[in-house]
Amino acid sequence: MKKEQIFIKDLIDNSGHMDLMLKIFAGEKGLNKEITGGEVNRPGLSLAGFFDFFAFERIQIFGLGETAFISNLSDDQKKNVYEKFFSYDILCCIFTHDVKPDKIFIDFANKKNIPTLVTKFPTTRFISLLTHVLEEVFSPSTTIHGTLVDVFGLGVLLLGESGAGKSESALELVERGHRLVADDMVEVQKTDESFLIGSSSAIIAHHMEIRGLGIINVRDIFGIRSVRNRKRIELIILLEDWDPDNQYDRLGIDEQKYNILGIDVSYVVIPVKPGRNIPVIIETAALNHRLKKMGIYSAKELDNKIQNMSQKEN
């Protein structure tokens, strides 16, 4: 799970990232500073003189509260506040609401080579967008050998040994109107400590390997509606060769879980043998999982009916 690198200048050059609408006002020489974490800091307490636990290594966000406090200070007071503030190795300062920093602030930022940027976004909205950009870099991630398909709006990750039929099943699902996210290598990223987002690498995106056909481009063959770039993984299905000696689940009362990056995901094992319509079974598994999310457990309801009937007979 190798972490990528991101620098302050990357926030301005938003190619490949969300447009943060940033303009630089000071500290251009510090644009090559590396961002080392995904958190930001609002320095209101520090500007008021409380520097205990000051997270200076984070991006400093100046919202309307911070700028209003600064505007009420005299020039001498500003110099005293800024002198203490800029005595720390500040990573970067960003002003929201299109509020420009005052000349004294700019002079200090230029002297210390602290990049100072301005965005038109409101503070809350900007922090949300910036956090999303930083999560792309700092969230834990891994690569899994499998196929990810959007089935009825549910991200279904197909696992199994090579030749188990993952790609062929996904191709049938696409032909039935569902959407391919990634084939062969699925890049999985953990976000918000509770979600797993799957995607394909830029090189092999929208491509599939079908034995006997070779490499095909799903988007070109089936159209743009047959693919999507990323999807939350909510159900994992393992395709394995039918083993007559194996006791497969025939009731579905006990839910199995598959752990990826510390997050448990619902897990189903589907045995594969000639004559079984695997794509239809995958569709049914996806629909059944959606019912469970709504609190409807068909297997448990049937089990309760049987137990109630047995109690009445007894």
Side-chain angles (χ1 to χ4, degrees):
M1 293 183 287
K2 183 180 179 180
K3 184 177 70 174
E4 299 178 23
Q5 286 184 306
I6 184 171
F7 303 90
I8 300 298
K9 63 181 180 181
D10 296 325
L11 300 180
I12 303 174
D13 179 15
N14 287 292
S15 55
H17 290 296
M18 195 175 299
D19 186 4
L20 299 174
M21 301 176 66
L22 288 168
K23 295 181 179 179
I24 185 162
F25 275 75
E28 291 189 34
K29 293 182 179 179
L31 288 176
N32 288 322
K33 287 185 176 181
E34 182 181 356
I35 303 172
T36 57
E39 296 85 11
V40 300
N41 182 61
R42 296 193 64 175
L45 288 174
S46 301
L47 296 174
F50 185 78
F51 284 89
D52 292 358
F53 312 108
F54 177 35
F56 62 88
E57 72 282 355
R58 301 178 183 177
I59 295 176
Q60 307 298 312
I61 306 297
F62 287 73
L64 291 180
E66 288 80 5
T67 53
F69 174 81
I70 291 173
S71 65
N72 287 325
L73 300 177
S74 65
D75 287 351
D76 289 338
Q77 288 174 321
K78 288 180 182 179
K79 289 179 181 179
N80 291 332
V81 169
Y82 297 158
E83 186 142 10
K84 180 68 173 176
F85 180 79
F86 284 104
S87 67
Y88 292 85
D89 187 15
I90 304 296
L91 175 64
C92 172
C93 298
I94 299 179
F95 287 73
T96 61
H97 291 274
D98 205 24
V99 176
K100 280 73 174 177
D102 57 67
K103 185 180 182 304
I104 302 175
F105 190 101
I106 291 176
D107 290 342
F108 270 93
N110 281 327
K111 182 180 178 181
K112 296 287 187 176
N113 295 326
I114 307 300
T116 301
L117 314 173
V118 174
T119 178
K120 294 181 179 179
F121 283 113
T123 308
T124 303
R125 176 62 176 156
F126 177 76
I127 292 176
S128 176
L129 294 174
L130 178 60
T131 301
H132 179 81
V133 171
L134 297 179
E135 275 185 348
E136 291 288 322
V137 179
F138 296 104
S139 295
S141 62
T142 187
T143 301
I144 295 178
H145 176 64
T147 301
L148 181 58
V149 188
D150 180 346
V151 183
F152 297 123
L154 196 78
V156 179
L157 177 62
L158 304 179
L159 302 180
E161 297 293 334
S162 180
K166 301 183 295 296
S167 296
E168 288 80 1
S169 298
L171 183 62
E172 172 68 16
L173 289 168
V174 169
E175 199 275 333
R176 294 169 68 89
H178 306 290
R179 294 188 284 181
L180 174 73
V181 181
D183 182 54
D184 192 38
M185 303 302 292
V186 182
E187 297 182 355
V188 182
Q189 191 170 45
K190 178 181 178 181
T191 63
D192 296 331
E193 298 301 320
S194 57
F195 294 152
L196 294 173
I197 303 299
S199 61
S200 176
S201 69
I203 298 176
I204 63 173
H206 310 151
H207 288 78
M208 298 181 72
E209 178 195 352
I210 304 297
R211 285 176 173 79
L213 288 181
I215 304 297
I216 64 171
N217 188 314
V218 174
R219 184 188 61 184
D220 292 347
I221 295 175
F222 296 96
I224 191 66
R225 289 186 297 178
S226 65
V227 297
R228 63 177 305 162
N229 294 327
R230 49 197 285 130
K231 182 66 180 175
R232 179 187 173 190
I233 299 173
E234 298 184 71
L235 177 64
I236 296 176
I237 295 179
L238 173 65
L239 303 180
E240 67 174 27
D241 291 334
W242 183 290
D243 183 358
D245 297 326
N246 195 357
Q247 297 296 321
Y248 294 105
D249 189 2
R250 301 185 64 179
L251 297 178
I253 295 178
D254 298 325
E255 275 201 79
Q256 301 182 72
K257 297 293 183 179
Y258 191 99
N259 190 279
I260 300 177
L261 297 175
I263 297 178
D264 289 331
V265 184
S266 294
Y267 175 67
V268 177
V269 178
I270 297 179
V272 179
K273 72 174 184 179
R276 299 201 86 198
N277 194 328
I278 302 302
V280 171
I281 296 176
I282 293 173
E283 285 182 328
T284 305
L287 290 173
N288 191 48
H289 185 75
R290 291 185 65 180
L291 281 175
K292 290 179 180 179
K293 290 175 63 179
M294 298 169 61
I296 303 172
Y297 292 79
S298 303
K300 292 182 180 179
E301 289 179 0
L302 178 59
D303 183 59
N304 290 334
K305 288 181 181 179
I306 294 174
Q307 291 186 19
N308 292 334
M309 185 178 297
S310 298
Q311 290 176 359
K312 289 180 180 178
E313 291 178 353
N314 292 333

